[in-house]
Amino acid sequence: MHSVKAHRVGGALADQHRQHDALEAAPSNYPRSIAPEDEAVAPSSPSDYSPLIRGFTSACGILPLSLGPHDRPRRILHDRDFTYVVTAHGVIDQLGTTSVLELDRNIRSPSLPFEEFVDDACILSHQGNPVVILGHAREQNQIACLVLGHGQVSRHITLRRDTVKRHGVSAMTSLMSPLKFASGGYDHRVHLWDIAQDLSGASAVELAIKHTSLVHSLLPIVDTSHKLVSVGADCDVPIYDMSSERVVQTLKTSCIPYHAHKTDLRSCTLLEVSHLETQFEIRDHRQPNQAVQRFGFLAGEKRGRFEKADSWSHFVVCGDRDGAVRLWDLRNVSTEVAYRQCFNDPVVQVVNTGPRLLACSKRNELACINFQDE
């Protein structure tokens, strides 16, 4: 059995290329609690808590996905009970619920996979059953709602999205209200969707969010109210307030942003950006024109919009183009907390499912990393 040692802050890394010589991180002022709007945030130090990433075992190592030619994983979706892998060709596989990394069953295999063009996906729940929402980068039938039950698609609903140019959905996210989700498109527009309780259809409202390029990702947050963060390829990140129905703040980035993630501080959002050394920025909504912190790793090439990290509490985990998984503590980002080489090709997505981290590679492989406290 192989093991992975957790790298404590200030510890030496195994490979010199992972040293952060060019790191542009500002002094850590990431608090563990929410500060009032008119109070300065005092610096906080990481506690002695250090996560342990245990090594792969023969029971939860590398799992190949049986995908067709030219198919690629798009999203790993996780709800309370199950984890699903969604591909660009619309294939949906359900993973087992045990500690063993295994495919439980194939949920969906489209008859015309080359016409699917899935760019993003999200997951909702209806009467205890998962509902997978697919966003397609195509002219017709751009959004599909798939109600799952007993390991198969029990109902397929196609939603119509009116577009005038540049057809296709590029971003999806579930919202905090039941049966509601948001979509962003190649036409630069963002829509809020409300699915009927009987699943007969859905109504859509275009939000007053203005982008000049395609929408890369969407993130619902709650600070002083319910809001939606929209990440655009135009380097604008508008924050839309649901109650007042207007954009209340717009974050500006110098690099193209790809994804937004929650942090344990409500007034801050973590952005993934296109940069060779600092792939992450912590942005305070009250300071729209500058990053509170920047951090990352030295990379040979920039990440793309289909590569996605994950965050929970004060941690963020991501993969790199060399097949490694990297973990940071947001309270001190001067170095990685843990590092694990998983594949020989780029990591597409890493997701925290609770008892374990799931990483997916560009060559259609899954890796499981057990995650626990010391």
Side-chain angles (χ1 to χ4, degrees):
M1 178 185 299
H2 301 286
S3 63
V4 181
K5 294 182 179 179
H7 298 289
R8 295 187 181 274
V9 174
L13 297 177
D15 300 322
Q16 290 298 320
H17 77 278
R18 297 204 305 275
Q19 297 293 339
H20 295 263
D21 298 331
L23 190 67
E24 300 176 11
S28 177
N29 62 348
Y30 189 84
R32 298 180 64 185
S33 60
I34 302 170
E37 296 285 279
D38 56 351
E39 285 188 17
V41 175
S44 62
S45 300
S47 65
D48 291 334
Y49 171 83
S50 178
L52 172 66
I53 293 186
R54 296 180 300 177
F56 294 114
T57 68
S58 59
C60 55
I62 303 296
L63 176 66
L65 298 174
S66 299
L67 302 182
H70 311 294
D71 198 5
R72 291 290 181 266
R74 274 293 180 257
R75 286 291 171 258
I76 301 175
L77 303 178
H78 178 70
D79 66 1
R80 295 180 304 171
D81 301 315
F82 298 103
T83 301
Y84 305 92
V85 179
V86 180
T87 76
H89 289 177
V91 175
I92 302 178
D93 286 326
Q94 178 180 303
L95 301 184
T97 57
T98 66
S99 59
V100 178
L101 182 60
E102 61 182 1
L103 288 178
D104 185 27
R105 66 189 68 192
N106 173 259
I107 302 294
R108 181 176 187 256
S109 293
S111 57
L112 298 173
F114 290 100
E115 297 181 6
E116 289 287 313
F117 303 108
V118 174
D119 259 23
D120 205 356
C122 65
I123 190 166
L124 308 174
S125 179
H126 177 258
Q127 298 179 352
N129 293 320
V131 180
V132 174
I133 314 294
L134 302 181
H136 302 271
R138 61 190 184 191
E139 184 173 348
Q140 302 294 330
N141 303 327
Q142 298 176 28
I143 297 179
C145 299
L146 309 176
V147 183
L148 309 185
H150 305 291
Q152 61 184 358
V153 178
S154 61
R155 192 166 182 179
H156 185 150
I157 307 160
T158 300
L159 301 182
R160 177 179 174 81
R161 179 177 175 273
D162 293 327
T163 56
V164 294
K165 61 178 181 179
R166 297 183 182 179
H167 302 277
V169 171
S170 56
M172 307 284 296
T173 188
S174 55
L175 301 180
M176 300 176 189
S177 301
L179 293 180
K180 288 188 177 182
F181 67 95
S183 70
Y186 283 85
D187 58 359
H188 319 160
R189 301 159 70 198
V190 177
H191 289 83
L192 177 66
W193 297 82
D194 189 356
I195 302 176
Q197 287 294 326
D198 60 359
L199 304 179
S200 58
S203 59
V205 176
E206 183 178 357
L207 303 185
I209 297 176
K210 303 299 182 182
H211 283 291
T212 59
S213 188
L214 69 93
V215 181
H216 276 164
S217 68
L218 300 164
L219 175 72
I221 62 171
V222 178
D223 49 17
T224 57
S225 63
H226 287 266
K227 294 181 172 68
L228 182 67
V229 179
S230 180
V231 180
D234 53 6
C235 294
D236 280 354
V237 183
I239 301 177
Y240 180 87
D241 185 82
M242 295 292 195
S243 58
S244 63
E245 299 182 352
R246 64 187 181 92
V247 173
V248 294
Q249 189 60 275
T250 298
L251 308 180
K252 301 288 186 177
T253 63
S254 57
C255 300
I256 297 175
Y258 290 130
H259 300 286
H261 302 277
K262 297 177 183 177
T263 69
D264 63 348
L265 179 61
R266 289 189 176 187
S267 63
C268 289
T269 296
L270 178 69
L271 298 181
E272 290 185 61
V273 299
S274 175
H275 200 279
L276 290 175
E277 299 170 359
T278 53
Q279 293 84 2
F280 295 96
E281 296 183 359
I282 298 177
R283 305 300 296 263
D284 191 321
H285 306 162
R286 300 162 294 185
Q287 303 176 26
N289 295 321
Q290 61 183 358
V292 174
Q293 290 179 343
R294 291 186 175 94
F295 64 96
F297 55 93
L298 299 179
E301 57 182 317
K302 296 178 181 178
R303 291 155 54 84
R305 71 184 181 97
F306 292 123
E307 300 167 51
K308 190 175 183 180
D310 195 12
S311 69
W312 69 99
S313 182
H314 47 78
F315 292 101
V316 59
V317 64
C318 82
D320 62 24
R321 289 291 181 96
D322 296 321
V325 172
R326 301 166 181 265
L327 179 70
W328 287 269
D329 187 328
L330 294 178
R331 297 169 299 176
N332 188 326
V333 294
S334 60
T335 191
E336 298 153 358
V337 177
Y339 174 95
R340 175 60 177 171
Q341 188 71 38
C342 295
F343 310 107
N344 294 320
D345 56 292
V347 179
V348 176
Q349 187 178 2
V350 186
V351 173
N352 176 27
T353 64
R356 61 186 182 179
L357 303 177
L358 284 178
C360 190
S361 79
K362 190 175 181 179
R363 292 187 180 178
N364 308 332
E365 292 180 322
L366 287 176
C368 172
I369 306 174
N370 290 326
F371 182 80
Q372 68 176 22
D373 299 349
E374 284 186 325

